[in-house]
Amino acid sequence: MARLLIKTDGVASQALELRLGVNHVGRDPDCDFTISHPSVSALHCDLILSNDGVIIRDCGSTNGTFVDGDAVKEVWLRAGQKVLLGEVELFVENTDAIIVIPEYERERPKPPVMQEDGSLMCPKHRRAAATYKCTHCAAVMCSSCVRVLRHKGGLPLFLCPQCSHRCERIGAEEKPKTKSFLETVRLRLAHLTGRIKTGK
């Protein structure tokens, strides 16, 4: 990670390990890096770390900010440069932003248990039957595990909790088609008409 080292004798030796974003440097204890020296202003400068490197920006300090002997208001820093904040010397050791992304290992699902009749049980809820199967990762699950996405005016979507792909029901039996209201009325009228014609 980007850092600067204080080289001036008599000043508490410390390394300024920069974090991403704006780092306030000055004599004030509320700064991110406090340098207790009379030539350093309360808020002397900002060290801004991004993916592109480090910018130093003077914050209207009394004794100025210098990079390799030149007074600066705002400039990019390079490794090996010398920075003066008033009379305090710093050495630019590194200007790289190293971002470490922690590894995330997703828990692998337990295999489903098969019953004697061939039906599958939910790996997470061992007493519940597996009623859904993911069309992408082939994971099976019960109705408590599956994610339901409802949207207005449409059928609900059943999604896999592991990969968010669509799930389908396992062994779903086709429901018998229900007759519509008009069809029911038509059949009743036909039945009544038949009774009248036959005299029953």
Side-chain angles (χ1 to χ4, degrees):
M1 188 62 86
R3 72 183 207 157
L4 290 80
L5 303 175
I6 295 177
K7 293 293 188 180
T8 301
D9 294 332
V11 178
S13 179
Q14 63 172 309
L16 281 60
E17 299 269 1
L18 305 185
R19 58 175 174 74
L20 283 171
V22 179
N23 299 265
H24 300 302
V25 182
R27 202 176 64 253
D28 194 307
D30 290 334
C31 287
D32 298 302
F33 299 102
T34 303
I35 300 176
S36 299
H37 192 275
S39 68
V40 175
S41 296
L43 175 58
H44 198 101
C45 68
D46 288 336
L47 292 167
I48 305 156
L49 176 62
S50 68
N51 291 335
D52 299 320
V54 178
I55 291 175
I56 188 166
R57 177 192 297 150
D58 185 78
C59 295
S61 62
T62 304
N63 296 309
T65 299
F66 300 82
V67 176
D68 288 341
D70 296 325
V72 297
K73 290 295 179 188
E74 184 172 310
V75 69
W76 287 94
L77 293 178
R78 297 188 313 274
Q81 287 184 312
K82 183 175 77 171
V83 174
L84 274 177
L85 306 181
E87 297 174 7
V88 177
E89 181 184 338
L90 295 93
F91 175 74
V92 182
E93 185 178 84
N94 193 345
T95 60
D96 297 331
I98 301 170
I99 302 170
V100 179
I101 300 172
E103 289 185 13
Y104 173 73
E105 190 170 330
R106 187 167 53 190
E107 184 182 349
R108 293 185 179 180
K110 297 172 185 174
V113 175
M114 185 174 284
Q115 300 288 83
E116 290 181 6
D117 61 357
S119 63
L120 296 174
M121 304 304 288
C122 176
K124 192 173 179 184
H125 303 102
R126 295 287 179 168
R127 294 184 180 180
T131 51
Y132 290 90
K133 181 177 181 180
C134 178
T135 56
H136 180 73
C137 69
V140 296
M141 66 213 74
C142 66
S143 55
S144 297
C145 293
V146 73
R147 301 287 181 258
V148 183
L149 177 66
R150 302 181 189 280
H151 50 96
K152 194 173 181 180
L155 295 173
L157 292 174
F158 299 96
L159 304 176
C160 176
Q162 295 175 41
C163 67
S164 299
H165 283 77
R166 190 175 63 83
C167 292
E168 57 187 13
R169 282 192 64 88
I170 298 174
E173 296 179 3
E174 283 190 22
K175 293 182 180 178
K177 291 182 180 178
T178 56
K179 294 171 184 172
S180 68
F181 175 76
L182 289 175
E183 198 174 348
T184 305
V185 171
R186 194 181 302 118
L187 286 171
R188 282 190 177 273
L189 286 173
H191 179 69
L192 288 171
T193 307
R195 285 179 62 183
I196 291 168
K197 284 181 179 177
T198 56
K200 291 180 181 180

